[in-house]
């Protein structure tokens, strides 16, 4: 496996670093370092404006490539970029290594947490792989401009890890579908403009059959209700979403009616690779904060805690090498849903979910008893003013559950990679 950075990549790095240095100033200076996991409530207006700034700079959709179809084209799109050229929808063309470079520079600059991740990195590659040209022409340019925000309507009460048990239905009504049901744990649904929804479109269907992948506008008062779910951190980036006859156009079914399971599984395959590497840079910054706390407080003198700190560092390096190996074997930046093999996304999820959870526990171990105490200026009006390490610990309680629980990932590896008998269902 060869995965290295050449002279063109380093030129791209210099361009990316210069752009970030220039633009993370002025109105955006206050958004630096804000909006990460567990802090999605921070600087919402500034971060949404930042998405549009990224779009004007041509930094959204680097991995889409020219194969996405005929869109705005060079010179007439969202932001033509400079030396890297322009993709079909105005986004820059960038090689896989250049996508990694951008992700690394973005994380190192502590640029704001992305509002548009779901549209750019999940929906867009799915439309490129499974959508019609009309769907790509309609939906990709607003994502590339940083204007359209998306959420993901997959999990339901009783059908989270067992997604094939979903009960939301969509009934054909002329040139539209009427969607009725409930979704849960829907990230950023309270801010999203659109939701891609899995629903049953064939009456009486069960399991993987009869499911369709629909694109549903969220601005439907009386037909869509969003209820925030308050978490341990006191924030509410997750939501319940209730659909009561919500309208989705028949032309907005991706992959054809009844083919939603295949489309949905392809989408899940895109949660890997470059995004995993940028996530690991954020992890490294969090680990650095924990190490600094241990050194400053003297906790690093404890040989047990010191051993745990070293182990966290070593495991993070292993995760990086695994991600690079996966990228090197996939051979592309976006179209290969297997990502280096059918079990690669599951292996990555198992590695980072457990690692991040242990980091949160280690942060509290470094603090000792003080970890359970709020700041000295706590008041009744701000009972949830957690610091970064407390928020890290509380938020990571969910890391081994969301995005596919550890149990589900182990089943996938056992059945699809090791060839073990399927679990009785």
């Amino acid at each position: 496996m060869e995965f290295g950075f050449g002279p063109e990549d380093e030129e791209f790095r210099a361009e990316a670093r210069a752009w970030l240095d220039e633009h993370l100033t002025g109105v955006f200076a206050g958004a630096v370092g804000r909006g990460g996991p567990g802090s999605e409530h921070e600087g919402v207006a500034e971060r949404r404006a930042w998405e549009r700034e990224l779009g004007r700079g041509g930094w959204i959709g680097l991995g889409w490539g020219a194969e996405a179809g005929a869109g705005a084209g060079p010179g007439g799109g969202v932001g033509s970029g400079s030396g890297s050229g322009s993709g079909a929808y105005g986004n820059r063309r960038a090689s896989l290594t250049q996508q990694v470079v951008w992700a690394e520079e973005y994380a190192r600059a502590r640029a704001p947490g992305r509002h548009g991740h779901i549209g750019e990195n999940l929906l867009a590659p799915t439309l490129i792989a499974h959508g019609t040209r009309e769907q790509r022409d309609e939906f990709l340019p607003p994502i590339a401009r940083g204007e359209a925000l998306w959420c993901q309507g997959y999990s339901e009460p009783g059908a989270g890890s067992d997604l094939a048990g979903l009960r939301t239905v969509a009934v054909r009504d002329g040139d539209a579908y009427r969607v009725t049901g409930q979704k849960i744990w829907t990230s950023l649904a309270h801010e999203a403009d659109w939701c891609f929804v899995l629903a049953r479109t064939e009456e009486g269907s069960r399991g993987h059959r009869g499911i369709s992948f629909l694109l549903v506008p969220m601005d439907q008062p009386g037909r869509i209700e969003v209820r925030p779910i308050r978490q341990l951190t006191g924030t509410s980036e997750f939501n319940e979403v209730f659909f009561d006859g919500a309208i989705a156009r028949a032309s907005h079914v991706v992959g054809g009616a009844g083919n939603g399971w295949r489309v949905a599984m392809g989408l899940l395959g895109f949660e890997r690779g470059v995004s995993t590497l940028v996530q690991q840079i954020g992890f490294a910054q969090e680990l650095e904060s924990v190490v600094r706390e241990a050194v400053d407080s003297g906790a690093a003198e404890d040989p047990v805690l010191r051993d745990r700190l070293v182990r966290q560092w070593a495991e993070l390096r292993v995760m990086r090498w695994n991600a690079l190996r996966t990228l090197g074997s996939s051979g592309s930046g976006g179209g290969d849903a297997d990502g280096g093999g059918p079990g690669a996304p599951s292996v990555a999820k198992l590695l980072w979910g457990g690692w991040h959870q242990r980091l949160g526990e280690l942060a509290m171990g470094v603090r000792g008893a003080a970890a359970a105490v709020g700041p000295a200026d706590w008041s009744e009006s701000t009972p949830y003013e957690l610091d970064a390490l407390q928020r890290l610990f509380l938020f990571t309680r969910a890391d081994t559950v969301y995005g596919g629980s550890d149990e589900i990932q182990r089943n996938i590896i056992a059945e699809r990679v090791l060839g073990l008998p399927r679990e009785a269902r």
Side-chain angles (χ1 to χ4, degrees), residues 233-397:
T233 54
T235 59
S236 303
E237 61 268 24
F238 295 135
N239 303 269
E240 293 179 282
V241 183
F242 297 86
F243 299 92
D244 186 8
I247 301 298
R249 285 164 45 184
S251 59
H252 289 168
V253 175
V254 179
N259 295 322
W261 186 259
R262 177 174 61 88
V263 177
M265 293 303 101
L267 180 145
L268 292 176
F270 294 116
E271 293 186 284
R272 60 171 180 86
V274 173
S275 61
T276 299
L277 285 171
V278 69
Q279 177 191 55
Q280 291 171 10
I281 296 171
F283 287 171
Q285 292 170 341
E286 291 175 334
L287 176 59
E288 182 180 346
S289 296
V290 175
V291 171
R292 189 183 309 115
E293 177 83 15
V295 172
D296 291 346
S297 67
E301 299 301 319
D302 183 317
V304 174
L305 279 175
R306 190 165 61 248
D307 180 71
R308 290 173 64 187
L309 289 167
V310 172
R311 185 178 294 273
Q312 288 289 139
W313 177 86
E315 290 176 352
L316 184 58
R317 300 300 299 174
V318 170
M319 282 197 291
R320 177 174 175 79
W321 291 328
N322 182 70
L324 291 174
R325 181 183 61 178
T326 299
L327 284 171
S329 60
S330 69
S332 73
D336 177 11
D338 284 342
S346 294
V347 170
K349 176 61 172 61
L350 279 174
L351 286 173
W352 73 252
W355 184 92
H356 203 214
Q357 197 170 83
R358 291 191 297 276
L359 181 65
E361 295 165 356
L362 179 55
M364 297 300 96
V366 165
R367 281 274 182 86
V373 180
D377 60 349
W378 240 9
S379 68
E380 292 183 2
S381 63
T382 57
Y384 253 105
E385 276 304 314
L386 303 171
D387 64 33
L389 295 186
Q390 290 171 324
R391 190 181 295 117
L392 169 68
F393 169 71
L394 292 175
F395 188 84
T396 56
R397 298 302 86 201

Side-chain angles (χ1 to χ4, degrees), residues 395-413:
F395 188 84
T396 56
R397 298 302 86 201
D399 278 353
T400 54
V401 177
Y402 72 79
S405 69
D406 279 10
E407 292 79 5
I408 292 296
Q409 305 308 326
R410 290 189 177 98
N411 278 350
I412 291 172
I413 294 169

Side-chain angles (χ1 to χ4, degrees), residues 12 88 102 138 149 169 194 226 278 397:
F12 188 84
W102 167 250
E138 179 177 359
L149 300 184
V169 298
W194 289 81
V226 178
V278 69
R397 298 302 86 201

